[in-house]
Each structure stands twice: as C-alpha cells, then as structure tokens.
Amino acid sequence: MIFLAMLILGTIIGFVGAGGAGVTIALLVVGFHVPMHAALAVALASMIFTTLSGAYSHFREGEVVVKTGAVLGAGGMLGSFAGANVSLMLDEELVRYMTSYIMLLSAILLYLKVYQSDWLNSLFHFPDHLLEGKKLYIYGMLAGTINGFISGAFGIGAAAFIQLTLLIIFGVPLIQAIGTCMMVILPISVAGGLGYLLQGQLDFSIFLQTLAGQFIGAYLGAKLTHLAPRPVLKFSIVAMSTAGGVILLFGV
C-alpha cells in the first residue's frame, strides 16, 4: 500500500516538478501512522536520490553556480546533521506541528514567487552580481547552516527558503538559483538522512517502497507536465505544499 501511494504521489511530484518531501511526511504519518521521526528519516533519505539526478541535469545545462552551491552545501551539511539530532530530542507531536507550520510558510513563499513576483521584486533588492570573497564564505556558511537545520529537523527540502536566499543575498539569477538550490539540497539530505540513520530511525522497508514508488511515478508524471496548461501547473505547485501542511496539522 505504501508503494502504491508513493507511486501516485511520485506521479504528482513529477508532474508539478517539486520535491514533495513534506507531502511524503504527511502521507506516511497520517495515512500509514508511521512515527514522525521515522517519516522524517525516509523523506530525507529519499531526497538524496530525487535531487541527485535533478542537480546533475541542471549542472550539465550550466544552471548551477558551483562555488556558491558548495559553500551553502557545506554549511547545510553541518546544520542538517545537527537538526536531525536536535529533532530526535523533541517530542514527536511538537516536531509534527512545527513541520506543518514550516510547510505552510513555504507554501506562502511559493505563492508569492509564483503569483506575486512583481511585488516580491519590488519588496527585495536583488543584487545584479554574485557575492564573492569573504562575504560569500561567511554568509554562505551561516545561511547554509540555518537552512540545513530547518531541513534536518523537520524533514523538508527547504527549497523555497534556499532559493530566496540565493536570489536576495548571493545574487544568483533565477534559473541558476533553481539548479544551485538542488545542489545545496543534496548534501543537506545526505547529512540529515545520516543523522537519523545513526539513531536507528530509518526503516529500510518503508524507505525502499517510498523510493521505488516515487522514482517510477516521477518519471511518468514528468511526461504529463508539458501537456498541462500553465495555470494548472502554477496552482499545483502552491497547492501541493499547502495540502501537505494542512494534512499534517489536522490529520488524525
């Protein structure tokens, strides 16, 4: 049943083009009563493989700022590993509610990015050049650690937060921000997944079913993306994160 559910979810992920870690957590916890920390472990471990191919594809297209991504990724690894260990010290119900709130905040950021981009551009000053020198390493390690901690503690990819950071602080252009974000999420997923694995929280049976279902489903869903009207895609991107947060918050 988990495999079939993840097959359907993977199809939606492939169709929308989003990571879906938050929805994976919500489905496992609410639909299959998987303990919260075990669900976080599965979501992070699954992201390793879903972001690997995406990051490689963006790299081949020249859509990754490698130096910036490497600095944020290094900070992200430290933050994610620490976040996983801190999360395990907290009550699972508290982690569940915190995860749902962060997913809803992510949905708001996605809404602003998709539907209110002009307002967002007027609100923030986006640098017209890449951040370099000492500031890159200081800001990069700090921003990477914070985003990594959020991802490791609450099991989400934090893509909306990372992309906004890349745009506002590091001056990465939008297209390259998407590719660089996937590069940053990869080491974050590895470190967070390792943190939960070392604490015995990763259920390999659930992980393999989740990974197989989403891998096959994402391939099928990606075939449908170009057939969908643009308004449907925009709505689906925001609705997916919103649905995950709401389900996790109010699901029994």
Side-chain angles (χ1 to χ4, degrees):
M1 290 299 295
I2 291 178
F3 170 77
L4 293 175
M6 292 302 169
L7 182 65
I8 296 171
L9 177 58
T11 303
I12 298 172
I13 291 172
F15 172 70
V16 174
V23 184
T24 299
I25 295 168
L27 183 58
L28 289 173
V29 172
V30 177
F32 296 97
H33 305 292
V34 174
M36 186 65 195
H37 288 129
L40 298 180
V42 169
L44 281 168
S46 298
M47 274 199 302
I48 296 172
F49 298 92
T50 56
T51 57
L52 179 61
S53 60
Y56 178 69
S57 176
H58 282 292
F59 176 77
R60 290 191 62 184
E61 296 296 325
E63 296 170 352
V64 175
V65 182
V66 177
K67 187 176 181 181
T68 303
V71 176
L72 266 74
M77 289 187 72
L78 297 175
S80 183
F81 188 80
N85 284 277
V86 169
S87 178
L88 290 167
M89 299 176 188
L90 302 176
D91 180 74
E92 287 201 337
E93 281 300 298
L94 175 61
V95 175
R96 172 175 170 169
Y97 288 126
M98 288 297 296
T99 301
S100 64
Y101 295 144
I102 290 175
M103 288 176 62
L104 292 174
L105 176 58
S106 178
I108 293 173
L109 293 177
L110 287 171
Y111 169 80
L112 294 175
K113 181 181 173 184
V114 172
Y115 289 101
Q116 304 293 333
S117 58
D118 291 338
W119 177 81
L120 200 62
N121 290 336
S122 66
L123 183 64
F124 295 104
H125 170 68
F126 295 99
D128 56 3
H129 62 278
L130 293 174
L131 190 68
E132 293 286 352
K134 290 182 179 179
K135 286 187 177 181
L136 170 61
Y137 294 100
I138 296 172
Y139 294 171
M141 289 298 294
L142 182 60
T145 301
I146 293 172
N147 284 315
F149 183 88
I150 292 172
S151 185
F154 307 111
I156 64 172
F161 304 103
I162 295 171
Q163 286 182 21
L164 211 56
T165 301
L166 290 168
L167 290 167
I168 296 172
I169 300 176
F170 297 93
V172 178
L174 179 59
I175 297 299
Q176 290 181 310
I178 295 171
T180 307
C181 176
M182 296 204 77
M183 176 185 172
V184 174
I185 291 176
L186 181 57
I188 284 175
S189 303
V190 171
L194 179 63
Y196 286 105
L197 174 63
L198 293 177
Q199 296 296 328
Q201 294 294 326
L202 182 60
D203 186 311
F204 282 96
S205 174
I206 297 175
F207 165 65
L208 291 175
Q209 292 180 73
T210 299
L211 181 62
Q214 290 188 2
F215 183 84
I216 297 171
Y219 176 81
L220 299 175
K223 300 293 185 182
L224 304 175
T225 300
H226 70 283
L227 301 175
R230 188 173 179 85
V232 174
L233 286 175
K234 291 170 68 175
F235 173 80
S236 300
I237 289 171
V238 178
M240 189 170 179
S241 185
T242 305
V246 171
I247 291 171
L248 196 60
L249 184 60
F250 296 105
V252 179

